[in-house]
Amino acid sequence: MTDEPLLRVTALSKYYGSRIGCEDISFDLWPGEVLAIVGESGSGKTTLLNCLSTRLLPTSGTASYRMRDNQWRDLYRMSEAERRFLMRTDWGFVHQNPADGLRMTVSAGANVGERLMAIGDRHYGNIRATAVDWLGRVEIDEERIDDEPRAFSGGMRQRLQIARNLVTGPRLVFMDEPTGGLDVSVQARLLDLLRGLVTDLGLAAIVVTHDLAVARLLSQRMMVMKDGHVVEAGLTDRVLDDPRAPYTQLLVSSILQV
Amino acid sequence: MATPLIVSEVAKAFTMHLRDGIRLPVVANVSFSVRAGECAVLGGPSGAGKSSILKMVYGNYGVDQGQIIVDHHGQLVDLATANPRTVLSVRRDTIGYVSQFLRTVPRVSALDVVAEPLVARGTDRKQAQERAAELLDRLNLPERLWSLPPATFSGGEQQRVNIARGFITDHPVLLLDEPTASLDATNREVVISLIEEKKLKGVALLGIFHDADVREAVADRIVDVTEFAAGKAAA
């Protein structure tokens, strides 16, 4: 384990015209660390996630990423081809709606295998064996490998999307409300699965969620956003058990107890 | 170091922004230290700030003023100002914590809940599970429960899982927040002997015990928290 961060974000801002998307965001992310970004709709958390994952270019600021060869690269000065390669190999992106991250009309096995082929794997037997292994790890029965995700339930689709993202052994995964839109029982299973995978694989992850319970379960650190700004940041249990910013106190006190 | 934990002039208040910014002072001028091999007990009535002090030492509550110095990997770290990454590292290797309540995770078995702190420090999972089994057995948790997630366990069963999880590592500092609150006499005795063993190994223990019998059995020293009442310090 090296003692250097994986991602360094400095004074990142994104404006939509004169409106603030997110403003002056700075943080470091270390290998194996899960950072939750919480806030309500319109707080800028998704804008920030999209800037970090280079799906959106920021107005100002920098984000540097430490590549596998330990070279630091400025994400916004890479060529489009380099960025796409990073997205396909070293990064994953789990969308809230699995249909945005899956190809709905090809088989489950092909959805997982496609990313392997993108990094140059050509041996059909190996690809299929890896796909079977990954379906098992996300608790999808092997006999569903030739089915299209269209025929899967919401929870299964989300698990398939996770397998598709993790099959290339990424070091950093972005997740946008990964449990949004799922039934609570399905959510619990998915969260537990994610938690296990993140720990076992030593993944770094940035998880956008409005659900504080998800943040508590998955992340070690969190940032609370409001109106495009980070209003509070720190250790997840510290922020949730001793919230200091007025907005964080409001969020924490709004949780319904079961 | 013979004194792995030093708390110096620590102050804490809560500001309730949703209640017009009312400020609730909790403690001020908290100063004490815990030596290796001793069990210091925080004493005082409910509401005196005992749990808050424990939570500040664990990094779970923020600290407004003062220092909390801990010997971490041979270096002195101030937990009052340490960054999250350092606090996590201190929790992994230096400060253990047995809370009153177990925060359960769906689908993780009691055995794995207990083994986890060892696995997180790089111990082989199988070995960690064996050690977890020994502790659960010692705490008289029926073996048929070991493979189940503790969410549905009784209060006393959950607490024993929690205690096993806290005692499984060899952290040099161990914080105990009423570890015996919902245990029967037999299991209280087990906890007392676990604490004695930690002391012999040179662990510095800091605890809260409402149970007078347990407190008398384990405490080497009582730290009177009423001395740190926020109003008193201001006077």
Side-chain angles (χ1 to χ4, degrees), chain A residues 54-74:
Chain A
T54 71
R55 297 154 56 81
L56 200 62
L57 288 181
T59 312
S60 61
T62 59
S64 310
Y65 183 71
R66 184 163 56 81
M67 308 294 277
R68 284 185 193 240
D69 60 5
N70 281 325
Q71 298 294 310
W72 283 93
R73 298 293 305 275
D74 182 339

Side-chain angles (χ1 to χ4, degrees), chain B residues 157-174:
Chain B
E157 287 162 352
Q158 289 198 2
Q159 189 153 37
R160 280 177 277 161
V161 171
N162 224 1
I163 291 166
R165 180 182 159 93
F167 278 86
I168 196 168
T169 54
D170 52 2
H171 286 115
V173 178
L174 190 56

Side-chain angles (χ1 to χ4, degrees), chain A residues 1 3 30 33 139 188-189 192-193 195 200 216-217 220-221 234-235 237-238 241-242 244-246 249-250 253, chain B residues 12-18 58-64 84-85 87-88 91 103-108 116 125:
Chain A
M1 208 174 126
D3 220 32
W30 299 75
E33 196 172 53
E139 302 170 12
R189 181 178 185 186
D192 177 49
L193 185 82
R195 191 177 156 276
D200 293 348
R216 164 106 60 188
L217 203 61
Q220 292 102 39
R221 266 172 59 200
L235 212 57
D237 62 278
R238 211 283 294 150
D241 293 341
D242 183 16
R244 305 214 152 179
Q249 291 189 352
L250 176 66
S253 68
Chain B
K12 168 80 182 163
F14 290 110
T15 304
M16 321 291 273
H17 292 287
L18 304 182
Y58 197 57
N60 178 232
Y61 277 5
V63 176
D64 296 343
R85 203 171 126 77
V87 176
L88 288 172
R91 287 181 184 179
R103 197 172 276 286
T104 57
V105 178
R107 301 206 309 170
V108 179
E116 201 214 325
R125 185 175 294 274

Side-chain angles (χ1 to χ4, degrees), chain B residues 114-126:
Chain B
V114 175
E116 201 214 325
L118 278 186
V119 175
R121 299 178 65 187
T123 307
D124 171 68
R125 185 175 294 274
K126 189 140 177 25

Side-chain angles (χ1 to χ4, degrees), chain A residues 142-157:
Chain A
E142 188 184 333
E143 61 185 42
R144 303 296 301 267
I145 190 169
D146 295 316
D147 293 352
E148 293 172 10
R150 280 191 303 186
F152 285 6
S153 68
M156 277 176 77
R157 287 179 188 182

Side-chain angles (χ1 to χ4, degrees), chain B:
Chain B
M1 187 165 84
T3 309
L5 177 67
I6 299 169
V7 177
S8 169
E9 298 179 346
V10 161
K12 168 80 182 163
F14 290 110
T15 304
M16 321 291 273
H17 292 287
L18 304 182
R19 299 278 175 276
D20 301 321
I22 185 175
R23 197 167 164 280
L24 298 176
V26 184
V27 285
N29 235 330
V30 181
S31 299
F32 65 90
S33 59
V34 188
R35 287 189 301 274
E38 82 167 343
C39 179
V41 172
L42 297 172
S46 294
K50 302 186 296 293
S51 276
S52 293
I53 292 174
L54 221 52
K55 286 175 176 171
M56 285 191 280
V57 173
Y58 197 57
N60 178 232
Y61 277 5
V63 176
D64 296 343
Q65 271 177 47
Q67 294 178 307
I68 297 176
I69 306 292
V70 62
D71 179 8
H72 177 54
H73 294 161
Q75 294 204 317
L76 299 183
V77 170
D78 179 8
L79 286 169
T81 53
N83 63 37
R85 203 171 126 77
T86 306
V87 176
L88 288 172
S89 165
V90 166
R91 287 181 184 179
R92 190 182 60 235
D93 295 336
T94 303
I95 299 187
Y97 181 59
V98 179
S99 65
Q100 261 181 84
F101 306 104
L102 182 67
R103 197 172 276 286
T104 57
V105 178
R107 301 206 309 170
V108 179
S109 74
L111 197 66
D112 282 331
V113 169
V114 175
E116 201 214 325
L118 278 186
V119 175
R121 299 178 65 187
T123 307
D124 171 68
R125 185 175 294 274
K126 189 140 177 25
Q127 261 178 17
Q129 283 176 340
E130 279 166 20
R131 181 84 190 96
E134 280 169 34
L135 272 167
L136 288 176
D137 187 46
R138 217 173 138 188
L139 286 156
N140 304 301
L141 192 80
E143 195 171 342
R144 62 190 155 77
L145 297 180
W146 297 358
S147 59
L148 301 177
T152 55
F153 290 9
S154 74
E157 287 162 352
Q158 289 198 2
Q159 189 153 37
R160 280 177 277 161
V161 171
N162 224 1
I163 291 166
R165 180 182 159 93
F167 278 86
I168 196 168
T169 54
D170 52 2
H171 286 115
V173 178
L174 190 56
L175 310 177
L176 307 167
D177 191 354
E178 296 203 49
T180 54
S182 41
L183 297 186
D184 58 27
T186 317
N187 286 308
R188 273 205 302 272
E189 288 301 321
V190 177
V191 174
I192 291 172
S193 61
L194 284 171
I195 291 172
E196 290 302 328
E197 287 163 28
K198 286 287 181 196
K199 283 199 224 173
L200 289 175
K201 284 183 187 153
V203 173
L205 296 110
L206 176 64
I208 300 172
F209 300 92
H210 277 302
D211 188 329
D213 294 347
V214 179
R215 191 168 58 224
E216 268 162 39
V218 301
D220 295 302
R221 198 153 54 86
I222 307 280
V223 177
D224 182 4
V225 173
T226 56
E227 305 230 329
F228 312 134
K232 201 167 179 171

